[in-house]
Amino acid sequence: MRHFAVLDKVPTGISGFDEVAVGGLPAGRCCLVSGTTGSGKTLFAVEFLARGIAQFDEPGVFVTFEETADDIRRNAASLGFPIEEWEAQGKWTFVDASAKVADEAPTIGEYDFGGLLARIGAATRRISAKRVSIDSLGAIFSRFPLGGVVRYELFRIVAGMEQLGVTSVVTTERISEYDGVSRHNVEEFVVDNVVILRNYLAEQRRRRTVEVVKLRGAQHRSGEWLFTIDPERGLVVIPMAYIVHRPAAASER
Amino acid sequence: MRHFAVLDKVPTGISGFDEVAVGGLPAGRCCLVSGTTGSGKTLFAVEFLARGIAQFDEPGVFVTFEETADDIRRNAASLGFPIEEWEAQGKWTFVDASAKVADEAPTIGEYDFGGLLARIGAATRRISAKRVSIDSLGAIFSRFPLGGVVRYELFRIVAGMEQLGVTSVVTTERISEYDGVSRHNVEEFVVDNVVILRNYLAEQRRRRTVEVVKLRGAQHRSGEWLFTIDPERGLVVIPMAYIVHRPAAASER
Amino acid sequence: MRHFAVLDKVPTGISGFDEVAVGGLPAGRCCLVSGTTGSGKTLFAVEFLARGIAQFDEPGVFVTFEETADDIRRNAASLGFPIEEWEAQGKWTFVDASAKVADEAPTIGEYDFGGLLARIGAATRRISAKRVSIDSLGAIFSRFPLGGVVRYELFRIVAGMEQLGVTSVVTTERISEYDGVSRHNVEEFVVDNVVILRNYLAEQRRRRTVEVVKLRGAQHRSGEWLFTIDPERGLVVIPMAYIVHRPAAASER
Amino acid sequence: MRHFAVLDKVPTGISGFDEVAVGGLPAGRCCLVSGTTGSGKTLFAVEFLARGIAQFDEPGVFVTFEETADDIRRNAASLGFPIEEWEAQGKWTFVDASAKVADEAPTIGEYDFGGLLARIGAATRRISAKRVSIDSLGAIFSRFPLGGVVRYELFRIVAGMEQLGVTSVVTTERISEYDGVSRHNVEEFVVDNVVILRNYLAEQRRRRTVEVVKLRGAQHRSGEWLFTIDPERGLVVIPMAYIVHRPAAASER
Amino acid sequence: MRHFAVLDKVPTGISGFDEVAVGGLPAGRCCLVSGTTGSGKTLFAVEFLARGIAQFDEPGVFVTFEETADDIRRNAASLGFPIEEWEAQGKWTFVDASAKVADEAPTIGEYDFGGLLARIGAATRRISAKRVSIDSLGAIFSRFPLGGVVRYELFRIVAGMEQLGVTSVVTTERISEYDGVSRHNVEEFVVDNVVILRNYLAEQRRRRTVEVVKLRGAQHRSGEWLFTIDPERGLVVIPMAYIVHRPAAASER
Amino acid sequence: MRHFAVLDKVPTGISGFDEVAVGGLPAGRCCLVSGTTGSGKTLFAVEFLARGIAQFDEPGVFVTFEETADDIRRNAASLGFPIEEWEAQGKWTFVDASAKVADEAPTIGEYDFGGLLARIGAATRRISAKRVSIDSLGAIFSRFPLGGVVRYELFRIVAGMEQLGVTSVVTTERISEYDGVSRHNVEEFVVDNVVILRNYLAEQRRRRTVEVVKLRGAQHRSGEWLFTIDPERGLVVIPMAYIVHRPAAASER
Ligand SMILES: Nc1ncnc2c1ncn2[C@@H]1O[C@H](COP(=O)(O)OP(=O)(O)OP(=O)(O)O)[C@@H](O)[C@H]1O
Ligand SMILES: Nc1ncnc2c1ncn2[C@@H]1O[C@H](COP(=O)(O)OP(=O)(O)OP(=O)(O)O)[C@@H](O)[C@H]1O
Ligand SMILES: Nc1ncnc2c1ncn2[C@@H]1O[C@H](COP(=O)(O)OP(=O)(O)OP(=O)(O)O)[C@@H](O)[C@H]1O
Ligand SMILES: Nc1ncnc2c1ncn2[C@@H]1O[C@H](COP(=O)(O)OP(=O)(O)OP(=O)(O)O)[C@@H](O)[C@H]1O
Ligand SMILES: Nc1ncnc2c1ncn2[C@@H]1O[C@H](COP(=O)(O)OP(=O)(O)OP(=O)(O)O)[C@@H](O)[C@H]1O
Ligand SMILES: Nc1ncnc2c1ncn2[C@@H]1O[C@H](COP(=O)(O)OP(=O)(O)OP(=O)(O)O)[C@@H](O)[C@H]1O
Ligand SMILES: [Mg+2]
Ligand SMILES: [Mg+2]
Ligand SMILES: [Mg+2]
Ligand SMILES: [Mg+2]
Ligand SMILES: [Mg+2]
Ligand SMILES: [Mg+2]
């Protein structure tokens, strides 16, 4: 059985996820990671960069909006990632858009996306970054009442990332676990690759799943996969579920 | 039992689909292919052209909005379709509307549909195309807040395609699998032929179905049909489901 | 048991339907036929005229908006209705409003309903038509954001048809099978007679039903009745369902 | 057990309904009759006047908006009510607001309710009417986008009717059988007495029920009561349901 | 087991309700009574004043908007409350805001709440009222499209009532029994004490319940309690339900 | 098994809650407490400060909007918290924003958040507060129609609280128990830590649960935990539920 001539894949290094994504995220492309609050978007974005540095020596740029660089540093430290050390080594750099947001009153419907792209580009070149995480566009997109504008700007950001040659992760917000798509009803359609993190209540308990909804031009496993957030290992996608439900031979998408 | 004097049909060449559509898509008409993100719209649009060339030697024009021609080329390559080769042979040509979108800031409520139709017409004449795929109108329609305008413009595009004499596929976006119709609530009503691709979660697993909702003036099988995306053969509508559920003699619509 | 002194009824000639409508549609009145896409509205409107000519020698006017006269001709031909022949004999005539729509850019909130009524009136007088089908108002009504305007214009069209003395069928669009009413939330309330065509998915299969929701001042059977679209006979409402579920003696509404 | 000192009641004469309303509708007050299309609102409004004349010799005024006086006359005739005869005898008179609607283009947000009230008042005095039916306000209210305006105008009409000293029925439209309230979300709250007619699909069949939702200051039975539309007797609320479900002694509300 | 040092409570005198509210409504505070049409809001508001006079000799002010004072007088008479007598004795007085509404066309977004508060204040002082019922704010609030304004004005009314030193009941409208909150989505959050009256259809029959949703700073029983409207005793909350479902010892909230 | 290097935690002192939050709320951060009306938001905000003073001698600032300082004092007294005494000792101080709201008519879309932050800062410094409770932002946010503005202002308040170095609780309003997020659809995404209080009706009875939805950078238990409001002890999260459903050894998040 001949397989697709897949796009090059970049292993995320996130435990178990690369098996679901059949090798990782498409190299040089952008992946949307969408989820409700607390579903693990920031953790995914952080691990994507951190494991890139720790396991594959690929420098990364982390773009924040509402959380400060310090928040991310501390958060990552709790998972054993020495961000400050990596910053000193020129392996990790922050583009902190959050300061800007706080300084000045926002004008609804305005944001300098061109300037943002320029700053990300500069940071990328400075440390020769291979990975970029943008977490999250929710704050900025909340200013735009029209889905059409959100769609256009997201398209520009994705195109910008791909022109930089980096593999990138962009997080966006979902309002409910299973209904509809992301907040502005357009996000998933714009981006080549989409991962959804879910965190749903079933009989008073939370259950986390990850799903690769699409990888344009590349193979991936379908359906929801259980994961946990382990104090030691961070995001851990559970391969047991895979083994139980599906024969290893099958390679459906 | 006398059968309808059906419209001429153009076999798509998509495995199993032409059985559901009882011969293929109506010749010289436009077909709307609608689905949620990752449901297989682009794959359908690509295969429609590629199989046209490979199996029936019918040249085709592929119109893209958000994905670049390169994205489509690479994607198709993974399914074994040598698009670049076909471009060199004058059998496949791209009308790449995506570049335009990225260059300039969009003005909400404006898009030069007349210009687009002219470009598609020129490309069609240049390679004597018999098939056109337009994937997807979602990006442009997102700019129009009013269903009435979307309806009118979609009507114009469909009319334009039929005046060119080509058999065409236009993809649009659905927000949910089973509720309502396409994004702007009018798309399905405007176009003569409608195919819906679904990709729904059932107990954590994805299941894909295709349904021919209507072919104006032509026979087709009704209901949802399972399909998979095979690494080797692309979209494969499963005839087994047909055999099990329905006696071969029945020809209901 | 005395029965209602019913309005005169015009048999549609549609197989099985006149039994459900207890004789047919009220003579000289307008009937709204509403349904989702592909539910059979156009087929109903076509058969209403075609059977009027074939079985009762009543000439008819067919008003189209988005489908062209040629589309309808070809579609009808597949059901064995020789529309062109009838046109030549002065038994069928088209008022083709679709051309107009395509020529000029629409101005939202504007449409010359007076002109349309005049054209329908002229056509009716020219061939002494007894039946008129208007299929469908969806395209024009999409331009009006306010239910109040739709309601008023639909009221005017219905009043215009009744002043012409014809029995008429007007089709409108529903967005979902069972929730609410037609697209603009007012259509059913305005018209004296309402028929709903449904086409719902149940376990991956489509099932078609027709329901006479009301006939003002006239008897009809209540509830949903199964129908199929037969290649030879067109719309066929299934009398079996009637026999099984209801004693023939009962004449409830 | 002492009973409420009830408001005077006017028996409607509608078969079985006066038992549910414990004597009829409150004298000199207005009652809202609300229902989906085809639920029987017009029949109720017609019977209320017709039985008032036939059984209690109380003259009545019928106000129409979208249906013409002729429609009502013919409809009533089928139920054995000789409206024209009564008109000649000065027992029934129409205030036909429908003509006005058709003559001139409507201006959204404008309607001369003062003039309407004056015309109803004049008609009432001319024939010394004791009952007024207004069927239906839906057409006029569709012009007002704001619930607040609808509420105020409905309030004025109700107040106007009560100043005339007549017992009146006003019909309004509901969009769905069980969810929410009437079309504009305010109607039921404004009027002292509310009756809802339902006509719901259960397993492809229609079932009709009537419910007295409230009678301010007066007793009534609660819950839904089955009714049928009998060719001979018109609306027939079925007392069997009453006998089976409730002990005759209980007098709950 | 030590109990909360509860706020002073004012017994409403409504049969069974004071047990649910553990003594009655918080003294000197305002309580929101919300429900769908016919749920018993006006009855609650009337009984609150009437039982205050009859059982505790506390004069009361009744503020009406859409119902006239005469409506309330007659309604109360049917329950055996001699309002006119009490008015003569200076124990009950009406502030009739309904007349004002009917005289003049309303300007959307305007209402003189300051003037209303002044009139209530004057009436309160004139008869040394201890209780005030305001029934219902729905009519006025319908004029305001923005929840923010409704919230602010309701806040002002509540504050005004508390400055007068009276214990008050304000009724507002709910659109559905179990979904969401009151009509404007803010009412329950503004007021210290909230009671919901429900009247839901279960298998064609109505069932009434009352629930104390919150009493800020005071104990109350939780959950829904059945009640009936008794011709002799008015609102009767059924203590049986209490006895059956809960051990008398438990005092949870 | 190595555990996360957690953020410092501040025990709330609320019975049972600190076990769910694995030590308490992250020190120096802001926590959003969201719930429907009567769910216990104000109680949580009061206890957070009161137990801080009583058990850990940490002074606190309480910011009120719609409830007055007196309301809170009295409410707290019923739970045995001597607020006035603490105020005299400089351990508790109110920033009473409610007066301002009542004095002047609100201008939709305007509120001096800068001034509020300044007043909170001054109060914090005056008593060297370690904890701040803001209850609730609902009143102010109701004035802003756009989610983008609410998001920005909430972001500013949270940032302001963290700059003051205090651990803070901000309450916001939810419209339904399980659907969607907070009133403006953005609140949960902005704040680092989110707790949801639920109070749902199941078979006529209320059941209360608390859930820690996320603590950014810190461990917490997942899922819903039952709690009651005890007259003596206030909020009591029930550890039994924990013991029954989960083995004590597991430390999942
Ligand atoms: N350092 C940590 N240690 C333990 N658990 C953590 C840590 N950081 C986050 N978590 C938990 O992991 C889950 C995912 O957190 P994360 O911040 O990635 O969510 P998110 O999807 O980015 O949410 P938001 O939309 O609010 O930004 C949350 O439940 C959170 O409480
Ligand atoms: N070359 C490929 N090899 C394997 N799987 C692929 C390939 N290209 C696409 N897929 C998968 O096929 C499915 C359909 O993809 P496709 O791009 O056709 O969806 P779509 O409906 O066009 O989505 P969108 O609305 O996002 O454009 C996705 O799950 C995707 O991951
Ligand atoms: N000539 C034909 N032969 C066989 N089937 C047909 C023919 N014409 C239509 N059909 C089928 O009959 C069904 C009803 O078609 P019809 O065009 O009447 O629907 P419609 O309600 O008018 O839809 P729309 O809202 O899209 O105009 C569709 O499923 C269609 O595929
Ligand atoms: N003369 C009649 N003979 C038999 N059935 C009738 C007659 N008139 C009406 N009906 C039936 O009675 C039902 C109620 O009709 P009615 O006109 O009262 O409804 P409605 O609620 O006023 O509807 P709409 O909102 O469309 O005005 C309908 O199903 C209709 O078909
Ligand atoms: N005097 C009375 N005798 C018997 N039943 C009555 C009396 N007054 C009211 N009722 C019934 O009591 C119920 C509650 O009536 P009430 O007027 O209190 O409702 P409401 O909630 O105020 O409604 P609305 O929102 O329409 O004002 C209704 O079903 C009504 O029919
Ligand atoms: N002092 C008290 N004694 C007993 N019960 C109380 C006391 N204060 C509040 N309660 C109850 O505790 C519950 C929670 O009240 P709380 O005021 O905290 O709710 P909330 O979420 O702040 O509501 P809102 O959104 O209306 O402000 C309510 O049911 C209330 O009746
Ligand atoms: Mg995050
Ligand atoms: Mg696509
Ligand atoms: Mg059609
Ligand atoms: Mg009617
Ligand atoms: Mg009331
Ligand atoms: Mg509170």
Side-chain angles (χ1 to χ4, degrees), chain B residues 189 214 216, chain C residues 36-43 67 72 75 135-136 171 173:
Chain B
F189 290 95
K214 72 172 176 193
R216 281 186 182 150
Chain C
T36 53
T37 188
S39 60
K41 299 181 298 292
T42 300
L43 226 58
E67 291 187 79
I72 302 296
N75 226 337
D135 178 60
S136 94
T171 67
E173 302 169 355

Side-chain angles (χ1 to χ4, degrees), chain F residues 4 19 27 48 76 83 90 121 125 128 172 194 220 222 233 244 253:
Chain F
F4 281 179
E19 277 189 60
F48 174 63
I83 306 235
R125 282 183 291 271
S128 306
T172 53
V194 174
H220 62 87
S222 70
R233 293 182 297 155
V244 172
R253 257 147 309 118

Side-chain angles (χ1 to χ4, degrees), chain C residues 25-109:
Chain C
L25 297 179
R29 318 305 299 255
C30 181
C31 181
L32 187 84
V33 173
S34 189
T36 53
T37 188
S39 60
K41 299 181 298 292
T42 300
L43 226 58
F44 192 103
V46 166
E47 280 205 40
F48 174 63
L49 286 209
R51 302 207 176 277
I53 295 167
Q55 299 175 22
F56 311 100
D57 198 34
E58 298 191 351
V61 175
F62 198 97
V63 186
T64 58
F65 286 84
E66 288 181 336
E67 291 187 79
T68 64
D70 260 9
D71 291 339
I72 302 296
R73 278 185 202 108
R74 190 168 27 195
N75 226 337
S78 85
L79 286 157
F81 299 121
I83 305 236
E84 270 167 302
E85 202 173 294
W86 289 337
E87 288 180 287
Q89 298 167 0
K91 290 185 175 163
W92 178 298
T93 197
F94 281 105
V95 173
D96 192 335
S98 74
K100 282 224 134 50
V101 174
D103 287 354
E104 52 197 60
T107 311
I108 286 303

Side-chain angles (χ1 to χ4, degrees), chain E residues 48-172:
Chain E
F48 174 62
L49 286 210
R51 301 206 177 278
I53 296 169
Q55 296 175 23
F56 311 101
D57 198 34
E58 297 191 352
V61 175
F62 198 97
V63 186
T64 59
F65 286 84
E66 287 181 335
E67 292 187 77
T68 63
D70 259 9
D71 291 340
I72 302 296
R73 277 184 202 109
R74 191 168 25 196
N75 226 338
S78 85
L79 286 157
F81 298 124
I83 306 234
E84 269 168 302
E85 204 174 292
W86 289 337
E87 288 180 287
Q89 298 167 359
K91 289 181 175 165
W92 178 297
T93 199
F94 281 104
V95 172
D96 191 337
S98 72
K100 282 223 133 53
V101 173
D103 287 352
E104 54 196 60
T107 312
I108 287 301
E110 274 193 32
Y111 184 80
D112 179 12
F113 284 101
L116 175 65
L117 284 175
R119 289 173 68 201
I120 299 175
T124 298
R125 281 184 291 270
R126 198 169 55 245
I127 64 166
S128 304
K130 296 278 172 294
R131 300 181 180 207
V132 174
S133 282
I134 301 178
D135 176 60
S136 95
L137 288 170
I140 297 307
F141 284 172
S142 285
R143 300 188 186 176
F144 299 98
L146 296 174
V149 178
V150 165
R151 184 168 194 143
Y152 173 75
E153 296 296 355
L154 179 55
F155 179 79
R156 278 220 300 173
I157 290 167
V158 169
M161 288 304 100
E162 300 194 347
Q163 276 162 24
L164 287 177
V166 296
T167 308
S168 57
V169 158
V170 172
T171 67
T172 52

Side-chain angles (χ1 to χ4, degrees), chain A residues 9-233:
Chain A
K9 290 274 185 73
V10 168
T12 59
I14 294 172
S15 173
F17 178 79
D18 293 331
E19 275 190 60
V20 173
V22 183
L25 298 178
R29 317 305 298 255
C30 182
C31 180
L32 187 82
V33 173
S34 188
T36 54
T37 189
S39 60
K41 300 181 296 296
T42 300
L43 227 57
F44 192 103
V46 166
E47 280 205 41
F48 175 63
L49 287 211
R51 301 206 178 277
I53 296 168
Q55 298 175 22
F56 310 100
D57 200 33
E58 298 191 352
V61 173
F62 198 97
V63 185
T64 59
F65 287 84
E66 289 182 335
E67 292 186 76
T68 64
D70 259 10
D71 291 339
I72 302 298
R73 280 184 201 108
R74 191 170 27 196
N75 226 338
S78 85
L79 286 156
F81 297 123
I83 306 235
E84 269 168 302
E85 203 175 293
W86 288 337
E87 289 180 284
Q89 298 166 0
K91 290 182 175 164
W92 179 297
T93 196
F94 281 104
V95 172
D96 192 337
S98 72
K100 281 223 134 50
V101 175
D103 286 355
E104 50 195 64
T107 311
I108 286 301
E110 275 193 32
Y111 184 80
D112 179 12
F113 284 101
L116 174 67
L117 284 174
R119 291 172 66 201
I120 300 175
T124 298
R125 281 183 292 271
R126 196 170 55 245
I127 64 168
S128 306
K130 295 280 174 292
R131 303 181 179 207
V132 173
S133 283
I134 302 179
D135 177 61
S136 93
L137 287 171
I140 297 306
F141 283 173
S142 286
R143 299 188 187 177
F144 299 99
L146 296 173
V149 178
V150 167
R151 183 166 194 144
Y152 172 75
E153 296 296 355
L154 179 55
F155 179 80
R156 279 221 299 172
I157 290 168
V158 168
M161 288 306 99
E162 301 194 347
Q163 275 159 26
L164 287 178
V166 296
T167 308
S168 57
V169 158
V170 171
T171 67
T172 53
E173 301 170 355
R174 290 171 65 91
I175 299 296
S176 77
E177 294 303 348
Y178 287 98
D179 298 344
V181 289
S182 284
R183 183 187 290 276
H184 299 277
N185 267 333
V186 298
E187 292 90 327
E188 277 90 342
F189 290 95
V190 179
V191 188
D192 282 348
N193 308 297
V194 175
V195 169
I196 294 182
L197 301 175
R198 292 194 178 86
N199 181 26
Y200 62 96
L201 260 181
E203 296 174 25
Q204 269 103 49
R205 309 181 65 169
R206 290 279 170 188
R207 193 167 170 179
R208 297 179 184 281
T209 66
V210 59
E211 180 184 13
V212 179
V213 173
K214 72 173 175 191
L215 296 187
R216 280 185 183 152
Q219 254 186 308
H220 61 90
R221 301 198 184 283
S222 69
E224 291 184 286
W225 300 79
L226 286 174
F227 75 91
T228 56
I229 298 175
D230 185 276
E232 206 165 338
R233 294 181 297 155

Side-chain angles (χ1 to χ4, degrees), chain B residues 1-244:
Chain B
M1 192 168 108
R2 185 168 63 85
H3 278 266
F4 280 359
V6 294
L7 274 177
D8 277 359
K9 291 275 183 73
V10 169
T12 59
I14 294 171
S15 174
F17 178 80
D18 293 330
E19 275 190 59
V20 173
V22 183
L25 298 179
R29 318 304 298 255
C30 181
C31 181
L32 187 83
V33 173
S34 189
T36 53
T37 188
S39 59
K41 300 181 297 294
T42 300
L43 226 58
F44 192 103
V46 166
E47 279 205 41
F48 174 64
L49 287 209
R51 302 207 176 277
I53 296 167
Q55 298 175 22
F56 311 100
D57 199 34
E58 299 190 351
V61 175
F62 199 97
V63 186
T64 58
F65 286 84
E66 288 181 336
E67 291 187 78
T68 64
D70 259 10
D71 291 340
I72 302 296
R73 279 186 200 106
R74 189 170 25 195
N75 226 337
S78 85
L79 285 156
F81 299 123
I83 305 236
E84 269 168 303
E85 203 175 291
W86 289 336
E87 288 179 286
Q89 299 166 359
K91 291 184 175 163
W92 178 298
T93 196
F94 281 103
V95 173
D96 191 337
S98 73
K100 282 224 134 49
V101 174
D103 285 354
E104 52 196 62
T107 311
I108 287 302
E110 276 193 31
Y111 185 79
D112 179 13
F113 283 102
L116 175 65
L117 284 174
R119 291 172 66 200
I120 299 175
T124 299
R125 282 183 291 271
R126 196 170 55 246
I127 65 168
S128 306
K130 297 279 174 291
R131 303 181 179 208
V132 174
S133 283
I134 303 179
D135 177 60
S136 94
L137 289 171
I140 298 305
F141 283 173
S142 286
R143 298 189 188 176
F144 299 99
L146 296 173
V149 178
V150 166
R151 183 166 195 145
Y152 173 75
E153 296 296 357
L154 179 54
F155 178 80
R156 280 219 300 172
I157 289 167
V158 168
M161 290 304 98
E162 301 193 347
Q163 276 160 26
L164 287 177
V166 296
T167 308
S168 57
V169 158
V170 172
T171 66
T172 52
E173 302 169 353
R174 291 172 64 92
I175 299 296
S176 77
E177 294 302 349
Y178 287 98
D179 298 344
V181 291
S182 284
R183 182 188 289 277
H184 299 278
N185 267 334
V186 298
E187 292 89 329
E188 277 90 342
F189 290 95
V190 179
V191 188
D192 282 347
N193 309 297
V194 174
V195 169
I196 294 182
L197 301 175
R198 292 194 178 85
N199 181 24
Y200 60 96
L201 260 182
E203 296 174 23
Q204 269 105 49
R205 308 182 65 170
R206 290 279 170 188
R207 191 166 172 180
R208 296 180 185 279
T209 66
V210 59
E211 180 184 12
V212 179
V213 174
K214 72 172 176 193
L215 297 186
R216 281 186 182 150
Q219 255 186 309
H220 61 88
R221 300 197 185 285
S222 69
E224 291 185 285
W225 299 80
L226 286 174
F227 75 90
T228 56
I229 298 175
D230 185 276
E232 207 165 336
R233 294 181 296 154
L235 284 166
V236 180
V237 182
I238 300 170
M240 298 302 274
Y242 167 71
I243 291 166
V244 172

